[in-house]
Amino acid sequence: MNKTVNPNILRMTNIYAPTLKEDPSDADITSAKLLVRAGMIRKEAGGLYSFLPLGLRVLHKIENIVREEMDATGAQELLLPFLQRAELWKESGRWNDYGPELLRVLDRHQNEFCLSPTHEEIITNLMKNELRSYKDLPKNFYQIQIKFRDEIRPRFGLLRSREFMMKDAYSFNATAESVDETYADMRDAYCKMCERMGMEYRIVQADPGQIGGNATEEFMALAETGEAELVYCDCGYAADVEVGECSPSPEQYPADELKKVATPGVHTIAELAEFLGCSEAATAKAFSGKDAEGNVWVLFVPGNYEVNECKAARVVPGFEPLTDEDMEKSGLVKGSMGPVGLPAGVRVAADESLRSIERWVVGANDDGYHFVGAKLGEDFQVDAWGDICTVHVGDACPVCGKPLSGARGIEVAQIFKLGEKYSRQMNATYMAEDGTEKPFVMGCYGVGVSRCMAAIVEQCNDEHGMFWPANVAPAHVCIIPLTVGDEEVYPVAEKLAEELSALGLEVVIDDRKERAGVKFADADLIGWPLQVVVGKRGLAEGTIELKRRKTGEKVSVSLDALKGARKFVQEYGRPESGERLTEFIKQLF
Ligand code: ATP
Ligand code: MG
């Protein structure tokens, strides 16, 4: 057992990577299927995953990229408790506000705690006793730790799990300008992280949601399978559709008085427009909900748009859609809601764009009937106005006016300027230069480390499996000897492994006594960036075969090709030390 092991040479016989031929039946997205099939993760229960050794190697690679980029900004790593006292959450007000995603537990003394979904409370409480003076500021602390959120629908494998790995950072600054600087540093660092991970991404304006604060952006890994929808423009503008500014152009339906029209069999806006012989933009669409106090609201948007619930919550605080049952209880007529003659107490909100429409086409609160010519300010009133429509691809860019493009993405990271939200609430102050006590101005910055792993797979896969960008691959090169234990092929494979590892690469040898087909399939599935095939026939001519996993390109090169590799290393340094592994691999071809 007293073997000296080169940590940069892995052996398949010594790696627990149980690959599967079939997709697991309960995996609902490519990354989950492939990570399970490649023996990297296993599902334990809904939203709970175990990382097997190869999967953990990838997770560690991502963590290290994140750590290096955070350290490079001067942020300092620490580790906070995973179990948090309820008192802190009561102090910040989130014990009530966070909702059922916060998993609350009692200890044996009946004290209330929660599993950490995020750490603003605990770090604000910690730092209010540590950072006393403006001379201590600014400071930025981060940790890489498990988070727990009792997601209502955990799904998509590591993309939306209940337990997941996050890097979270919190900055304590004296002024808003200082937070701006830290925020800009974090933004740069996050760009570097995404680039090093080989991710195709876009930064978008986002909704602050539960965390609070006033300015925030999300980093979206572009993927058709992403849950987020975004719009962007060549001018640089980009936004999550949850916040994307929208300015519809509703049309005036020609009517000069209020008229109730029988509209039998009309259920949708498209049917209504066809029935009336007008465009959908000449009608108003209704959507019902309630605010934080339980007041019922009906929201109106131009017929060719949808109400955006996230934006609606900014106009109607705490906005939540009504269930069919709630609608019935409130006396609302689904399919025929309109602002004229609503039940008493029901309030009306509308999209800003409808202000310019004098007479509206709306439901008559009477099944099978609509009003045309309903006059704003006379036949009905609007209690609240705002931008509440979901922006469409093709709408005018709010910055330059050109048509917006659309894409789907996976939110891998988000950065926030929190301002004084937590420090005021929790009385976290420092002594300012003028001798007065002032609340910290804060920022917080999160990366979904385990979500990144799955997002990379969503971008880097084909019908054979995954292909990892070199910087996050479980190892860089897989050497596949076609025969094992013979005197010719295997020693060459071992020697190649030594040489490549001496050049700074992480190498794996598939030393299993398996058929070549099995080894090829597994190498493709697991996704090592470079495969080196060593076989009897090639060696007879002094050659080995190289395959780039991502492109499938294959070349037969003489064993001396490694001289080229050595030259590369002499010239540029170890490929590992820069971002040059891909270049290095190209050099070999
Ligand atoms: P989402 O909108 O996807 O629920 P969030 O905006 O609530 O995420 P943040 O509070 O911004 O999440 O957390 C920081 C990062 O943690 C996110 O950008 C994301 O990458 C990751 N993350 C959040 N929730 C999950 C989850 N359920 N599973 C995996 N990663 C997650
Ligand atoms: Mg977020």
Side-chain angles (χ1 to χ4, degrees):
M1 287 311 286
N2 213 354
K3 278 196 295 200
T4 334
V5 177
N6 178 342
N8 288 327
I9 301 181
L10 311 174
R11 286 163 209 287
M12 284 302 277
T13 51
N14 201 29
I15 299 171
Y16 188 67
T19 54
L20 308 174
K21 283 214 176 63
E22 303 292 330
D23 287 338
S25 58
D26 58 351
D28 50 4
I29 198 162
T30 306
S31 55
K33 288 177 193 164
L34 290 176
L35 289 168
V36 170
R37 279 189 52 209
M40 292 194 170
I41 62 169
R42 286 290 182 260
K43 185 169 173 178
E44 155 61 25
L48 303 180
Y49 289 85
S50 304
F51 285 78
L52 297 181
L54 279 189
L56 190 60
R57 280 182 78 89
V58 175
L59 195 72
H60 283 162
K61 294 263 172 109
I62 296 172
E63 281 179 21
N64 283 336
I65 289 174
V66 170
R67 183 174 281 118
E68 282 169 20
E69 295 303 334
M70 290 302 293
D71 289 347
T73 67
Q76 299 175 59
E77 188 169 5
L78 46 58
L79 187 60
L80 302 163
F82 176 61
L83 204 60
Q84 299 189 29
R85 285 186 292 138
E87 288 85 62
L88 295 179
W89 285 72
K90 288 179 180 164
E91 226 177 279
S92 75
R94 287 207 289 184
W95 189 253
N96 285 328
D97 294 351
Y98 209 94
E101 275 185 29
L102 186 68
L103 189 65
R104 296 146 217 253
V105 290
L106 290 177
D107 73 3
R108 63 167 75 196
H109 307 296
Q110 306 303 306
N111 295 317
E112 289 178 303
F113 288 85
C114 63
L115 305 190
S116 296
T118 175
H119 279 81
E120 284 79 11
E121 281 78 1
I122 209 164
I123 196 158
T124 307
N125 184 60
L126 172 68
M127 291 305 161
K128 81 173 175 189
N129 299 316
E130 302 289 337
L131 305 173
R132 294 303 315 132
S133 151
Y134 69 94
K135 290 180 198 148
D136 299 327
L137 304 180
K139 286 273 184 309
N140 191 10
F141 298 102
Y142 75 96
Q143 61 171 350
I144 300 176
Q145 198 199 30
I146 294 281
K147 294 283 183 279
F148 191 93
R149 294 182 184 178
D150 204 356
E151 297 274 353
I152 184 165
R153 271 188 73 201
R155 57 195 161 139
F156 305 148
L158 300 182
L159 291 175
R160 184 165 298 285
S161 47
R162 292 198 293 168
E163 200 178 281
F164 57 95
M165 194 64 83
M166 197 203 284
K167 186 286 296 177
D168 44 330
Y170 306 88
S171 74
F172 294 82
N173 306 70
T175 61
E177 295 72 45
S178 170
V179 175
D180 288 349
E181 276 171 33
T182 311
Y183 183 94
D185 288 348
M186 287 294 104
R187 198 177 190 273
D188 284 350
Y190 278 29
C191 291
K192 288 184 190 137
M193 288 172 201
C194 290
E195 274 149 32
R196 287 182 63 185
M197 283 185 240
M199 224 179 239
E200 218 190 312
Y201 71 101
R202 204 174 265 283
I203 304 174
V204 302
Q205 293 176 10
D207 180 66
Q210 191 54 255
I211 304 261
N214 38 30
T216 172
E217 288 166 298
E218 287 164 345
F219 286 69
M220 293 287 184
L222 300 177
E224 272 312 305
T225 47
E227 285 184 285
E229 271 183 73
L230 38 131
V231 287
Y232 63 93
C233 178
D234 297 338
C235 75
Y237 172 81
D240 196 309
V241 294
E242 289 185 343
V243 294
E245 268 175 64
C246 184
S247 39
S249 312
E251 290 163 23
Q252 178 66 68
Y253 178 81
D256 38 25
E257 58 178 3
L258 179 71
K259 206 164 83 190
K260 192 165 174 176
V261 184
T263 49
V266 165
H267 300 291
T268 63
I269 288 287
E271 287 164 357
L272 179 63
E274 197 184 337
F275 185 92
L276 296 174
C278 64
S279 72
E280 292 185 17
T283 69
K285 187 184 283 173
F287 191 78
S288 63
K290 57 183 175 197
D291 63 21
E293 270 119 51
N295 301 304
V296 174
W297 287 78
V298 180
L299 276 48
F300 293 90
V301 295
N304 55 334
Y305 279 81
E306 300 297 329
V307 168
N308 183 297
E309 289 175 32
C310 189
K311 286 164 108 180
R314 264 171 263 148
V315 177
V316 176
F319 183 81
E320 242 180 74
L322 288 190
T323 60
D324 286 1
E325 204 186 324
D326 281 345
M327 280 176 76
E328 227 182 297
K329 263 195 230 153
S330 318
L332 297 174
V333 186
K334 199 181 172 184
S336 177
M337 283 185 291
V340 184
L342 280 169
V346 175
R347 301 172 189 195
V348 172
D351 188 71
E352 201 62 54
S353 65
L354 286 170
R355 265 191 210 267
S356 64
I357 302 299
E358 198 186 347
R359 289 184 176 273
W360 297 15
V361 173
V362 287
N365 300 308
D366 187 359
D367 203 15
Y369 291 90
H370 282 81
F371 282 124
V372 298
K375 190 165 185 197
L376 172 63
E378 221 162 82
D379 296 319
F380 66 95
Q381 305 293 335
V382 171
D383 304 298
W385 294 94
D387 171 10
I388 56 174
C389 289
T390 302
V391 60
H392 289 170
V393 172
D395 281 358
C397 165
V399 177
C400 75
K402 277 200 219 132
L404 291 168
S405 308
R408 299 194 72 86
I410 299 164
E411 180 200 322
V412 289
Q414 189 164 11
I415 51 181
F416 300 85
K417 291 179 195 171
L418 289 174
E420 297 172 357
K421 176 179 155 130
Y422 293 90
S423 47
R424 269 193 192 283
Q425 196 83 18
M426 300 183 71
N427 235 335
T429 58
Y430 68 95
M431 166 99 69
E433 217 167 337
D434 62 7
T436 60
E437 285 291 318
K438 290 202 168 131
F440 295 115
V441 190
M442 291 173 59
C444 79
Y445 319 94
V447 178
V449 173
S450 48
R451 185 182 278 186
C452 281
M453 177 167 163
I456 293 167
V457 178
E458 289 299 324
Q459 291 187 345
C460 301
N461 72 80
D462 60 20
E463 68 272 29
H464 305 294
M466 308 181 272
F467 43 90
W468 292 104
N471 284 332
V472 295
H476 306 127
V477 187
C478 178
I479 299 179
I480 305 176
L482 295 182
T483 46
V484 171
D486 64 351
E487 282 172 10
E488 201 181 342
V489 171
Y490 197 69
V492 174
E494 282 282 351
K495 184 151 174 281
L496 277 173
E498 288 294 343
E499 287 188 33
L500 288 170
S501 111
L503 295 178
L505 300 179
E506 291 169 16
V507 183
V508 57
I509 308 185
D510 196 344
D511 56 345
R512 295 175 302 168
K513 288 187 172 133
E514 287 285 1
R515 283 184 298 114
V518 171
K519 292 187 181 184
F520 293 148
D522 279 352
D524 279 356
L525 174 62
I526 293 170
W528 322 100
L530 180 67
Q531 297 171 18
V532 178
V533 181
V534 188
K536 265 205 175 81
R537 213 177 310 153
L539 286 187
E541 292 159 13
T543 62
I544 50 177
E545 188 179 74
L546 307 184
K547 175 175 159 184
R548 288 183 73 191
R549 171 64 184 89
K550 181 177 173 180
T551 59
E553 288 164 83
K554 284 183 193 167
V555 284
S556 192
V557 298
S558 94
L559 268 171
D560 298 340
L562 282 183
K563 281 192 191 134
R566 259 177 247 121
K567 219 172 111 207
F568 180 95
V569 172
Q570 277 157 13
E571 234 164 275
Y572 299 106
R574 290 174 172 227
E576 203 193 36
S577 64
E579 305 303 310
R580 286 192 292 268
L581 185 72
T582 317
E583 251 176 85
F584 170 83
I585 291 174
K586 277 191 208 147
Q587 290 274 325
L588 293 179
F589 280 80

